[in-house]
Amino acid sequence: MSHRPPPAAGLTVAPLTAEQIEGVLTDVFTRGTRCRLLDTGTDGCPAPHGHPQWLLAELGDTRVTGACHGGRWTRSDTLTEPPPTAPTLDPGTDRWRILEVLVFGPRAQIRIGEAAEAGWISADAPTAPPAWLRPRDRSLLLQGWNGPDHSRTLDRRAHLSVAREPGGSEAVLPVEWADFSGRHRLLPGGRTALESEGTWLTLREYWASDPGTGAVGVAFHRLTGLTSGPKPTGPLIDAGTGDDLPPEP
């Protein structure tokens, strides 16, 4: 029996060198410029150029989020409203503060681990997996109280908003804010679907099949973006039962 999990189908992952990790942290936190490695990828994991980039960083004393839709980052730790709760990360002296840094776009993700001692880049594999193991795109609703007094966009040009969570804490999100709402839509056959709008974190799930048992499960997920508006991925929900509805032909 092997205790190593089976590889995720349709995924390629490549480790980063110390120099590449240094370059990512320097671009994002020191220069505040577009992450070059996320645009170029590596020899074992190519990535296309020109897509939006996002940052989710978990530090020991704070969280830092950011968006880069052009050449420069707008990060939560450089805002004046709300005031930063901890000093900006200095990659030269503060690596001990890092728990996890995720820099990602629609086609690739970079993950830097604790204290920046290791890092990886992941993307779709060049060859497609079997249809029954094809990756699945999902979208997760970001919570925040509705209404401009609670959750709002700070600056649409900067793609940053503040959301107050039900517990009372606030989060700076690297996306324009949209309150959650839903409406009913009649479908053929008399069923009613619930269509929802809001603010979403999108991701891609990769599946793996156990060679011994044939069991299939999610083995890896890669963040792909943040967006607001209609739910960007399925499934539709039956408004009466809460069941998933099959895609429309």
Side-chain angles (χ1 to χ4, degrees), residues 78-135:
T78 61
L79 296 177
T80 57
E81 182 208 352
T85 57
T88 298
L89 178 74
D90 182 348
T93 60
D94 294 345
R95 294 192 180 198
W96 59 271
R97 295 171 59 198
I98 294 175
L99 298 179
E100 182 181 55
V101 172
L102 297 173
V103 186
F104 60 95
R107 302 296 180 85
Q109 172 185 278
I110 291 171
R111 178 182 181 268
I112 296 174
E114 189 170 354
E117 293 181 351
W120 303 264
I121 185 171
S122 57
D124 286 349
T127 56
W132 56 287
L133 289 175
R134 192 168 296 159

Side-chain angles (χ1 to χ4, degrees), residues 172-232:
V172 179
L173 305 174
V175 63
E176 295 181 30
W177 180 258
D179 286 341
F180 177 73
S181 62
R183 66 183 182 90
H184 291 167
R185 178 159 66 90
L186 293 178
L187 299 178
R191 303 189 77 173
T192 303
L194 177 64
E195 292 185 323
S196 55
E197 295 194 1
T199 308
W200 312 93
L201 173 69
T202 59
L203 57 91
R204 176 163 290 186
E205 292 180 335
Y206 296 85
W207 301 79
S209 175
D210 186 283
T213 65
V216 174
V218 175
F220 191 94
H221 72 265
R222 174 173 64 82
L223 302 185
T224 57
L226 292 107
T227 186
S228 57
K231 193 174 191 297

